[in-house]
Amino acid sequence: MIENQYIDIFTQYRDKIDSKSLSGMNGLRDKALNIFKDQGFPTKKMEDYLYLDVAAEFLPDFALNINRLPFTGNPYVAFRCEIPNLTTNLYFVLNDIFHEEHKPKINYPSGVFVGSFKHFAEEKPDVFSKYYGQIADMDNNGIVAFNTMFAQDGFVIYVPKGVVVEEPIQLINILKSEFNILVNRRILIIAEDDAQVKLLICDHTVDESQFLATQVTEIFAGRNALIDYYDLEENSDKVTRLTNTFVHQLEASNVLINNMTFNTGVSRNNYNVKLSGQHAEAYVCGMVIADKHQYVDNFAFLDHLVPHCTSTQLFKYVLQDEATGAFCGRIRVEKDAQKTLAYQSNNNLCISPNAHMYSKPQLEIYADDVKCSHGLTTGQLDEEALFYLRSRGLSKESARLMLMQAFAAGVLEHVRIDRLKERLLDLVEKRFKGESARCGNCAVCK
């Protein structure tokens, strides 16, 4: 079993892992190890992993940077974002190490922290211990347990009560190595009551090595808090990315999660949202553009625990060549969650006959005064619409491009940063044209 190999590595290097990390993370490793020994990686025998052999993704001989060897160079010089007129506060994680050396000095409102777990735990140890690892469900997820065993640092955003961070925060995850490497990333976002923050994450790959990345994100939204979480995958075909995002929402909070997969090898994104306060709103959206032999799998579970909450799931896939997509969306309305409004939609285009899409929408409703719906469509481009556009003078490729752009636009409408929306529309067009979807003017990503 491949699990035994990683258990042996963890046991052998446990002291080194702890010494290069911090006590707040080390305290959860024993529990994580026991869970991982018991559960291992998810298998295709599990209902939620029918189409992905997770253990097989860990079979190649990957290195782990347990000694935390630093990245050489200055990514702030090499990277240039090309989102028109979008000013962001920019940070970098290189493989799974937060780049501290060239981090700019940013004058945030009083009490705001943006940076590494290490420095946050030093400045606010009580806050870190209160939130880290508290909603990331290891008990039912071997990948989360694995990540908790090996992760040694992470990226944290903390916004105290009543504070609004006006400018979006941008985190660039760069995978760079001359040899195959496994990285384990953690993200923690805390927005206390009446706080607001927006995070844009961009994943890029530099080298042609094989990469495997696990990522666990925990998002806490206090009362009346607003959080935007945008996640752009622009990796190489040699990347396997396994993410787990957990959200806990209190009264009248508003959380938007929007994932855009423009390029990848294998991608599995899990979203677990608990609406725990009345009048909370959650939006979980995703758009996938995949071709070649790429595999993209999104799983979203939104759990309504109290009355008067609203949730929306919207996922769209455009699959070409021999790409495979999978989507499982689950909405659960607990018996006390009356007056719930919950909507789910999954729409898919299989452009080529060899593309495959698997979809499973699910509703579990235990309350009787709710409005819930789900919809699923999978098909090819509308031949009548193509004929209509061509009859108006458009070429076949131009007509196809226009229809695919129109299809994808629904997800982009949920982007709440106008300049980001403009750039994403441009990336979508480039991707459909077969051009690189990566950011321009970027010496890192070329």
Side-chain angles (χ1 to χ4, degrees), residues 38 69 106 122 142 153 172 200 203 242 280 289 298 304 325 345 371 400 402 421 432 442:
D38 180 58
L69 299 177
I106 299 173
E122 291 172 352
D153 200 357
I172 310 297
L200 166 63
D203 275 16
L242 307 172
I289 303 174
N298 287 298
H304 289 255
S345 180
K371 291 183 180 179
R400 284 164 54 89
M402 183 176 292
K421 186 185 298 183
F432 285 148
C442 177

Side-chain angles (χ1 to χ4, degrees), residues 327 344-348 357-361 374-378:
F327 170 74
Q344 180 189 96
S345 180
N346 174 222
N347 308 114
N348 313 298
M357 181 68 204
Y358 304 95
S359 185
K360 187 178 182 181
H374 63 76
L376 164 65
T377 61
T378 299

Side-chain angles (χ1 to χ4, degrees), residues 73-90:
N74 183 355
Y76 288 91
V77 174
F79 180 86
R80 291 292 183 272
C81 183
E82 203 186 50
I83 299 174
N85 301 322
L86 175 62
T87 301
T88 63
N89 299 327
L90 185 61

Side-chain angles (χ1 to χ4, degrees), residues 8-42:
D8 291 343
I9 292 173
F10 177 79
T11 303
Q12 181 178 353
Y13 292 99
R14 172 65 186 273
D15 290 343
K16 180 70 70 174
I17 292 170
D18 285 354
S19 69
K20 297 291 184 177
S21 187
L22 51 149
S23 60
M25 300 182 76
N26 295 339
L28 293 178
R29 298 194 200 280
D30 287 334
K31 177 182 177 181
L33 173 62
N34 290 331
I35 292 173
F36 185 69
K37 285 180 176 179
D38 180 58
Q39 293 195 11
F41 294 119

